[in-house]
C-alpha cells in the first residue's frame, strides 16, 4: 500500500484472444444480421479492462455507427462468449478516414434528423426503373438550386425514394461544406408546425426551414387534407424558390393525385422535374441483391442472388429482408449459402419455435441413446458426441443462453457448451455425414412438434 494508505487497485487488463473475437462477430452476425457491415472485419478488439471490452475502429464514422446501433448487440455477444458481464466501448484508432465511401458516413445528423448511413449514391443501383430519378438526384446534389428545382420523386413504397433523397443530403454535405441541407419527413414538418403554433414559436420554426440551402422533404402526401400545414408549406416553398434554394420532395403518387392538395401547390410541385420510380426489373433486382450482400459482407453465389430476386419482385426493402434471412439461416446452420439452403430459409417463415427438451428427445431418438444419459454426467465417447450435437442445435434453434443450455444438459457450464458447439460447427465444415445427420434431426424436431 502507498503512503496515503488507499492507492487504487491496479485494474486487470486482458487481451482478447482472436478466437473469442471471431465468436463475438459470429454471434452478432447470427443474432443481428441486419447490423453487420463489410468493414466489421477491420475492427480490432483491444482489451478487456474493468468489465469493458474496448474495440478499436479505423475512423469516427465507424465508431459512431457502432455506438448508435450496435452497442447492445456486441455487449450481448461478448457476454455470451466470455461468460463475463461486459460492456463494449468503441474507440477510434488513429486519424479519421473520410475517403472510404463505404464508411464515409460523415455526420449522421441533420438538424437532429438521422440520415441512414447506407443511403449513399454508391450503394444505389440504377436500372430502367429509376434512371431518370437517379440522374436528376445526382444533378441536384452536384449543383443544388440550379439543376431541377423543385425535384419531385414519386412511386410506390420501398423503391428507393428515401434512399435517393438522403443520398442527395450526404453528397451536398460532403461536397458543399457550409451548405445548410435539411432532411425532414413531411409528418415531422407538420407536427413541428402544429407544436410551434401552440407554443407561439413560429419564428423559430420558419427560420429553421426557410433559412436553408437545400430542403429535402419526404412523403409530402402527408400534407393531404391539412389546410394550415399546406398554407405554411406554400410560403416556405415560395421563399426558398425565390432565392434559388433547392427543394426536393417525394410522394407515393404524382402531385395531381395527392388528396385535397391546393391547386397552387400542385402547380408548384409540377413546375420543376417530376420523376417516377417504378418497380425494378429482374436484372436490377439481382444487382441490388449483390450490392446489399457486399454492403453486409455476405458472400452470395450468383444462383442465390437470382433466386432471391425472383422471389421478391416489388418492394426492395423485402428483397433486402430476404437476403438477411438467408444469411441468418446460413449462420445458424453453420453452412455456406447455397441455392438449396436459400430455398429452405425462404420457405421457413412458418416454423414453430423449438424448445431444448424437444431437441434432446430428437437427438436421443435418432442416435438411440437415453435422454437421461444426455442429461447426466456420463462422459463416455458414445454419449459425448450426441450431447455436443444437442448443444449445437440448441444454439442454432433456440435463443437460450449458454448457461441455460448447459443447465439442460447435466449442469455443464457455458464454456463447455461454447466449445462443444464450436467443435460440431468445425466438424460440419468437412463431414458430410454429420451434416446429413443433423438435417435428419432437425426434420425430426419439426415433425415431432
Ligand atoms: P421508399 O422511400 O421509396 O419507400 P426506400 O428508399 O426506403 O424506399 O428504400 C427501401 C429499401 O430499398 C432501402 O433499404 C433502400 O436502400 C433499398 N433500395 C431501394 N432502391 C434501391 C436501389 N435502386 N439500389 C439499392 N438499394 C435500393
Ligand atoms: Mg420513403
Amino acid at each position: 500500500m502507498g503512503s496515503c494508505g488507499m492507492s487504487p487497485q491496479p485494474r486487470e487488463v486482458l487481451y482478447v484472444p482472436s478466437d473469442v473475437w471471431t465468436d463475438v462477430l459470429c454471434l452478432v452476425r447470427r443474432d443481428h444480421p441486419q447490423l453487420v457491415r463489410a468493414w466489421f472485419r477491420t475492427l480490432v478488439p483491444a482489451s478487456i479492462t474493468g468489465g469493458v471490452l474496448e474495440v478499436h475502429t479505423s475512423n469516427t464514422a465507424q465508431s459512431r455507427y457502432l455506438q448508435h446501433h450496435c452497442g447492445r448487440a456486441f455487449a450481448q455477444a461478448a457476454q455470451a462468449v466470455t461468460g463475463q458481464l461486459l460492456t463494449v466501448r468503441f474507440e477510434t484508432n488513429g486519424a479519421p478516414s473520410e475517403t472510404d465511401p463505404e464508411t464515409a458516413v460523415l455526420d449522421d445528423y441533420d438538424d437532429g434528423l438521422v440520415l441512414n448511413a447506407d443511403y449513399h449514391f454508391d450503394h444505389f443501383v440504377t436500372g430502367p426503373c429509376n434512371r431518370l430519378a437517379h440522374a436528376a438526384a445526382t444533378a441536384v446534389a452536384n449543383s443544388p438550386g440550379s439543376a431541377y428545382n423543385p425535384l419531385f420523386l414519386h412511386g410506390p413504397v420501398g423503391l428507393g425514394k428515401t434512399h435517393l433523397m438522403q443520398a442527395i443530403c450526404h453528397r451536398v454535405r460532403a461536397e458543399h461544406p457550409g451548405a445548410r441541407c435539411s432532411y425532414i419527413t413531411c409528418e415531422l414538418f407538420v407536427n413541428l408546425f402544429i407544436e410551434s403554433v401552440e407554443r407561439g414559436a413560429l419564428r423559430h420554426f420558419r427560420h429553421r426551414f426557410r433559412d436553408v440551402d437545400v430542403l429535402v422533404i419526404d412523403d409530402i402526401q402527408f400534407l393531404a387534407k391539412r389546410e394550415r400545414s399546406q398554407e405554411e408549406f406554400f410560403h416556405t416553398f415560395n421563399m426558398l424558390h425565390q432565392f434559388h434554394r433547392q427543394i426536393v420532395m417525394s410522394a407515393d403518387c404524382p402531385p395531381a393525385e395527392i388528396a385535397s392538395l391546393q391547386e397552387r401547390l400542385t402547380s408548384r410541385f409540377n413546375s420543376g422535374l417530376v420523376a417516377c420510380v417504378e418497380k425494378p426489373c429482374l436484372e436490377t433486382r439481382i444487382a441490388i441483391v449483390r450490392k446489399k450482400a457486399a454492403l453486409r459482407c455476405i458472400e452470395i453465389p450468383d444462383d442465390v442472388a437470382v433466386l432471391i430476386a425472383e422471389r421478391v419482385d416489388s418492394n426492395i426493402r423485402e428483397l433486402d429482408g430476404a437476403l438477411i434471412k438467408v444469411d441468418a439461416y446460413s449462420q445458424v446452420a453453420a453452412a455456406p449459402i447455397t441455392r438449396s439452403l436459400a430455398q429452405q430459409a425462404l420457405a421457413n417463415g412458418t416454423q414453430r419455435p423449438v424448445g431444448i427438451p424437444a431437441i434432446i428427445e430428437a437427438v436421443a431418438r435418432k442416435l438411440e441413446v437415453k435422454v437421461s444419459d444426455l442429461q447426466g454426467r456420463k462422459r463416455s465417447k458414445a454419449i459425448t458426441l450426441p450431447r455436443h450435437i444437442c448443444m449445437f442445435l440448441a444454439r442454432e434453434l433456440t435463443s437460450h443462453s449458454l448457461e441455460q443450455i448447459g443447465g439442460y444438459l447435466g449442469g455443464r457450464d457455458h464454456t463447455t457448451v461454447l466449445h462443444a458447439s464450436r467443435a460440431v460447427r468445425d466438424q460440419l465444415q468437412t463431414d458430410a455425414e454429420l451434416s446429413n445427420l443433423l438435417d435428419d434431426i432437425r426434420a425430426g424436431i419439426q415433425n415431432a412438434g
Side-chain angles (χ1 to χ4, degrees), residues 14 48 51 75-76 78-87 403 414:
L14 300 172
I48 298 178
Q76 280 169 351
Q79 289 171 13
V81 171
T82 61
Q84 299 175 36
L85 197 59
L86 293 179
T87 55
E403 284 77 10
H414 71 276

Side-chain angles (χ1 to χ4, degrees), residues 40-347:
F40 278 16
R41 67 171 97 87
T42 64
L43 297 175
V44 179
S47 62
I48 298 178
T49 314
V52 180
L53 166 61
E54 191 170 305
V55 178
H56 287 177
T57 68
S58 359
N59 60 48
T60 45
Q62 293 180 348
S63 295
R64 191 175 297 157
Y65 172 83
L66 291 162
Q67 269 148 15
H68 282 294
H69 303 287
C70 309
R72 259 192 61 208
F74 272 86
Q76 280 169 351
Q79 289 171 13
V81 171
T82 61
Q84 299 175 36
L85 197 59
L86 293 179
T87 55
V88 183
R89 190 167 60 222
F90 303 101
E91 297 277 343
T92 305
N93 193 15
S97 131
E98 293 187 356
T99 49
D100 176 1
E102 202 175 2
T103 57
V105 184
L106 301 174
D107 291 318
D108 273 352
Y109 291 102
D110 184 271
D111 262 352
L113 265 189
V114 179
L115 292 181
N116 188 313
D118 297 333
Y119 290 179
H120 284 263
F121 284 120
D122 292 341
H123 298 151
F124 192 85
V125 175
T126 53
C129 55
N130 59 26
R131 213 178 294 288
L132 176 63
H134 174 265
T138 47
V140 158
N142 293 336
S143 21
S146 54
Y148 308 103
N149 203 12
L151 172 62
F152 191 103
L153 304 177
H154 69 91
V157 69
L159 298 188
K161 300 183 296 295
T162 298
H163 187 139
L164 279 177
M165 296 175 96
Q166 295 201 0
I168 294 175
C169 299
H170 282 302
R171 179 159 301 171
V172 168
R173 193 82 58 68
E175 300 201 349
H176 307 270
R180 287 150 305 168
C181 171
S182 204
Y183 168 85
I184 189 161
T185 61
C186 185
E187 181 173 4
L188 185 57
F189 179 89
V190 167
N191 290 342
L192 289 175
F193 172 62
I194 295 169
E195 210 177 284
S196 50
V197 170
E198 283 167 0
R199 292 204 346 251
L202 257 182
R203 259 185 57 176
H204 177 72
F205 175 87
R206 287 183 175 149
H207 167 71
R208 178 171 171 184
F209 293 108
R210 295 183 187 185
D211 207 7
V212 294
D213 298 297
V214 181
L215 179 64
V216 179
I217 179 155
D218 208 348
D219 290 319
I220 198 95
Q221 74 274 3
F222 200 79
L223 282 182
K225 301 187 188 145
R226 290 182 166 81
E227 282 292 320
R228 286 202 62 190
S229 298
Q230 288 191 20
E231 177 81 23
E232 179 64 25
F233 188 69
F234 176 72
H235 294 296
T236 305
F237 183 101
N238 286 343
M239 180 76 100
L240 291 170
H241 201 255
Q242 190 183 345
F243 289 101
H244 305 288
R245 308 280 167 78
Q246 180 69 48
I247 303 158
V248 184
M249 293 168 282
S250 79
D252 59 2
C253 59
E257 290 173 25
I258 299 175
S260 339
L261 188 68
Q262 296 167 6
E263 169 54 32
R264 56 186 185 162
L265 278 177
T266 314
S267 69
R268 272 165 181 75
F269 292 178
N270 276 319
S271 65
L273 182 76
V274 177
C276 174
V277 283
E278 287 167 2
K279 283 187 187 174
C281 60
L282 180 64
E283 286 77 6
T284 308
R285 297 200 303 277
I286 296 171
I288 292 174
V289 173
R290 291 214 184 96
K291 182 72 98 181
K292 295 279 181 199
L295 176 70
R296 299 184 182 289
C297 198
I298 301 171
E299 276 177 34
I300 185 168
D302 285 349
D303 58 346
V304 176
V306 173
L307 176 85
I308 295 176
E310 280 171 349
R311 288 290 175 90
V312 183
D313 71 352
S314 47
N315 187 325
I316 295 171
R317 195 171 288 117
E318 284 170 21
L319 199 63
D320 197 23
L323 172 69
I324 290 172
K325 199 165 172 186
V326 169
D327 178 46
Y329 199 86
S330 118
Q331 295 296 319
V332 292
I337 296 179
T338 58
R339 195 174 164 89
S340 82
L341 179 132
Q343 275 164 334
Q344 279 175 36
L346 297 177

